[in-house]
Amino acid sequence: MTGASVSGAGVLRFRPSAGDYVWTFGGVPPVARVAPGTVLELFTEDCFAGRVRGVDDLVSRVVEFPFVNPQTGPFYVEGAEPGDTLAVHFVSLEPARDWAASTTVPLFGALTSTHATATLQPPLPEVVWIWQLDRERRLCRFESRFSEYTVDLPMDPMHGTVGVAPANLEARSSLVPDSHGGNMDTPEMRAGVTCYLGVNVEGALFSLGDGHARQGEGETCGVAVECAMDTVVIVDLIKGWPCPWPRLESDTHIMSTGSARPLEDAFRIAQLDLVQWLESDYGLPALDGYQLLSQAVEAPLANVVDTNYTSVAKIRKQWLPGSPAAGGVHTRLREQAAAYLASR
Amino acid sequence: MTGASVSGAGVLRFRPSAGDYVWTFGGVPPVARVAPGTVLELFTEDCFAGRVRGVDDLVSRVVEFPFVNPQTGPFYVEGAEPGDTLAVHFVSLEPARDWAASTTVPLFGALTSTHATATLQPPLPEVVWIWQLDRERRLCRFESRFSEYTVDLPMDPMHGTVGVAPANLEARSSLVPDSHGGNMDTPEMRAGVTCYLGVNVEGALFSLGDGHARQGEGETCGVAVECAMDTVVIVDLIKGWPCPWPRLESDTHIMSTGSARPLEDAFRIAQLDLVQWLESDYGLPALDGYQLLSQAVEAPLANVVDTNYTSVAKIRKQWLPGSPAAGGVHTRLREQAAAYLASR
Amino acid sequence: MTGASVSGAGVLRFRPSAGDYVWTFGGVPPVARVAPGTVLELFTEDCFAGRVRGVDDLVSRVVEFPFVNPQTGPFYVEGAEPGDTLAVHFVSLEPARDWAASTTVPLFGALTSTHATATLQPPLPEVVWIWQLDRERRLCRFESRFSEYTVDLPMDPMHGTVGVAPANLEARSSLVPDSHGGNMDTPEMRAGVTCYLGVNVEGALFSLGDGHARQGEGETCGVAVECAMDTVVIVDLIKGWPCPWPRLESDTHIMSTGSARPLEDAFRIAQLDLVQWLESDYGLPALDGYQLLSQAVEAPLANVVDTNYTSVAKIRKQWLPGSPAAGGVHTRLREQAAAYLASR
Amino acid sequence: MTGASVSGAGVLRFRPSAGDYVWTFGGVPPVARVAPGTVLELFTEDCFAGRVRGVDDLVSRVVEFPFVNPQTGPFYVEGAEPGDTLAVHFVSLEPARDWAASTTVPLFGALTSTHATATLQPPLPEVVWIWQLDRERRLCRFESRFSEYTVDLPMDPMHGTVGVAPANLEARSSLVPDSHGGNMDTPEMRAGVTCYLGVNVEGALFSLGDGHARQGEGETCGVAVECAMDTVVIVDLIKGWPCPWPRLESDTHIMSTGSARPLEDAFRIAQLDLVQWLESDYGLPALDGYQLLSQAVEAPLANVVDTNYTSVAKIRKQWLPGSPAAGGVHTRLREQAAAYLASR
């Protein structure tokens, strides 16, 4: 294994070489075995494998399918078995370069026909935008390609792709979001958040990639402000707490996700999972949870462009009955992250 | 006409009697003619026509279809012609009673089969929740029906249904959202916001109803915290500025809406309309607008339960090139509203 | 009323003048009152109102919205009340001219983006095909526009649009298919078939139009081999037999229809209606009907292009328990049609 | 390899033992290498792995996920490379037992909520139907479970699942239909038909399973008349003729398939592929093909229940310009099949 080194008790640093990346969830051997509670200091390449560096680097020319959306991992988490859940806490996400790229991709995106929403129309023009990242001031600069307009947007780093090996003996492309996680593309996957992923195979086989300096809800053109990322996560294990769809927890909210087509099915999955989570962990009867959610939920779209669309259902923890989710693992990981950051 | 009285220059007060409500957009004569700029002081009944007052008032027993979702109006706006746009500014929304109602409705809602998503399963149980409204503290109290849990949520009054007569010689049920507006059910339709509605017939024939003390994004169970509302709007007219889908403007954002099924089509409509709005009013070339939106848009769901689903595309005005939308009508109406409120 | 004349006991002949056509279901007064059992000898104009006569007659130039898809009617059927069902038996359909027209329409059709499936791509080119109809040999001649290829297809005349006034106080464009019928565009609507339409308003207000010399399943480009039609129907009334969605009966099959988006919902509606029809009229328990249907149903698509998509669920009568649908009305109308044709 | 034996020049007989079945397309090694033109005499187990044998054998009790829908194969076809296409000709399909099984499966099927179309409703009851197969008279007997009704339907054997290893380094469950084929569940996959499958990996890795004694269009309850099958296919290779989606050819028709959600996307894919096939192989310009298809296509639904829905687009060869598809491979395989059958 190239680039992996245990730099201290419970900290693993892994910076993949070109040949170390993987392009699927499932179907590939782990790059390392880690104990629950390990801090992972990772480098992730951007979704173009770093090949789009200027406005002339059209994806159709420089990227070779299926070698798109490289993932760092997978990591075998010791003791993880089907029926358990991985808790992945995002300690920090820092863009690794001072620029990022976005682009239209022929027959991909929400405002174009696609290989699935198939029409006789020609594809949209292929255009690349290079975004300048001011990492100190936490800004991303948009530069119009067809006018003089520029504007600075706040940086809000996130990972588009986070997941484990899927169930049913499958291996899925890293472009796909589904119940194993994968390419969900939700801006909620930011520092300070814990992501819960149900374990489908022994060791879970966790990997991540697809850093975005920022992204709009729905990822309209299909491509965010794509950048390489230096990311620190803590990977923990919750035994015997199944998690049917990826869930997230921040200091203020719990969130369920659903990934499916059509988009209303993604919405239904996320909303139903949240109702059922409120029932199982918070003791709120299902119909009461349905009613409370109907008035209290936020439903930010993640992506409306990928193989499956992803919807998030999000509710404030202060509005819920007392007990913390999964026995308070988020709070504990928050503290471990603070200790790690203080010691760095 | 019952209940309408012009109470001063440019102010019309209209409190409908039981027989005054209408149940469609289009197909009914106006209750009054108003000049552009008129302040309308309106009362709207709740979507149950006020018939659900306690937990035993099941919709299937007390509400008689199609007499559901009563609208106050329509108002004939002088000078309004196809190709123009109505600007409806929401000055204030105040729940008219100290309680509100919500309920499951058989075969209606996102987490049940419906008459369209038709299955062999029996409907969910019909349950009513009565919410207490603390209008002074601006709180809505949820009381669980199947446990002891209660919680206070912030009040955030909105109108679910706002629209004009549709095009194509149609009359549409007030339960339907489409390009004429109607039952869009977006929480963005709150005080301080201007709603733009393209005019389809002479006089536009504007009406509104379906007040909600608050609502989650997507309106999961299909019914919000439904309440009668005392609402003040200013109705203005923008000549020669067409508006293909309902748009909204707040002090901070401009927003497009789309209503369609499946939900991704509602998303596409709203996002495309916003790209085209950025091009026509702000001079941003379409592909640049597509890219900027992809990184900057918020996409809060309105409803995923009605005849058409409604999606909102929302962007901060501070991130856009200078010119204000529609020549600054929102700012002007904001000032008129402030003057009205000061004089009251 | 222009053009209507009772030409004998129980036969009404109606050939509309230009101003007699209607463009909606609902919202318009009847052109005639007829007793149940009346034979209607009708002329229907093509969906372009006869304005596309050559390959240079582009729809965007010669057709003025919303004056598209003209309907002949509506007819007030005496005694028809909500809860009853109209039985419309198609005695004969004869193309009224020796040519027909088809075309692409900008942003309309299955293999293009549309106003709902909205993209940034420009529309497809607008192209007209004129089909020659050989009424004696019952053939329609396709002539390629961009090559020399021609081919004769069998004529199979049908009506794309058949319906009654909708429920819920609505008026719907004649371009819309829904539970009131309307623009379903199913090739099953041919001579020899009885169409059942649930009555929503007093008198039912039946009308029809949109003749096709033939059409593929799904009506891919959105436009069939459009022609004016000389059509004879018998309109009968079934008291107290509700019909939630349009149903059809031929000598060999019974069929249910569903119209909705996405297409799977249209499929679900039609299939569920057929299961419930098998239960109510044929005594087959619902789960047994579900199983039998799963192995025996044909599911020809009608349209995948209109405001709602339309799916048909079709099962052979010989595979069903004995009793005929609706008390044998189809057989009786078949006999009345034969007698009428013999006497002509 | 168990059970495989080359029984003569160009004939391979393979009857898998219990441990020989595979449950995915991709991700498993081949059971045999075969030369193009080889006749395969195969046994396929039913989708329940033979475990549902009576009305008390509920799937939820006797079937262990993911060991459902066993496939016979995969076969490595020598010389097959990405860019080529496999031609699989169905010589004969004979049910291997005198009974077959069908069932409802909890949260699976078109007329129930599912894991994707997620609702709060409980699943439908789990019911098994055992069908008696009269192989001599080619009949399948339906026996109602909740009434006395029985009826004989014609036997029409088909394979629900036929495919090759997918692209993009993926392995997909045998329950999934996609561009690699898989669980398409189309009744068109019957004896006398040639199925074309684009090759994604070296050797193609073809397998098949999921025999149905018959099936309705759409496979409404999600389960057909499931039976073990003795099947003979000839596997041939077409070099340098890419096939983006599975295509079929019978003596009378050519057909394209599309598998996606929502169902209209499956329809679009199949229709567009057929237009493009007409252009590339028959020389019909795309817009002319679009028009011809719109009037001439049949669009029988395959399944509206699986992970992706499958739609077929089908046109009569007699209506097309002269040249046969893929250089006449179907005719040649037809002749080889006749010779094989004559010699048996």
Side-chain angles (χ1 to χ4, degrees), chain A residues 101-125:
Chain A
S102 193
T103 176
T104 50
V105 175
L107 301 182
F108 180 66
L111 299 187
T112 171
S113 56
T114 67
H115 295 285
T117 305
T119 81
L120 282 160
Q121 292 157 304
L124 293 175

Side-chain angles (χ1 to χ4, degrees), chain C residues 144-145 149 217 288 299 319, chain D residues 144-146 149 217 288 299 319:
Chain C
S144 177
R145 285 293 308 279
Y149 186 62
E217 291 173 1
D288 282 326
W319 295 345
Chain D
S144 177
R145 286 292 309 276
F146 305 101
Y149 186 63
E217 291 174 0
D288 282 327
W319 295 345

Side-chain angles (χ1 to χ4, degrees), chain B residues 39 110 112 140 263 281 312:
Chain B
V39 176
T112 171
C140 312
L263 183 54
D281 273 36
V312 174

Side-chain angles (χ1 to χ4, degrees), chain D residues 5 66 72 82 90 108 124 135 150 166 174 195 223 236:
Chain D
S5 64
T72 296
F90 286 85
F108 180 67
L124 293 175
R135 289 179 285 181
T150 69
S174 59
C195 175
V223 183
D236 210 343

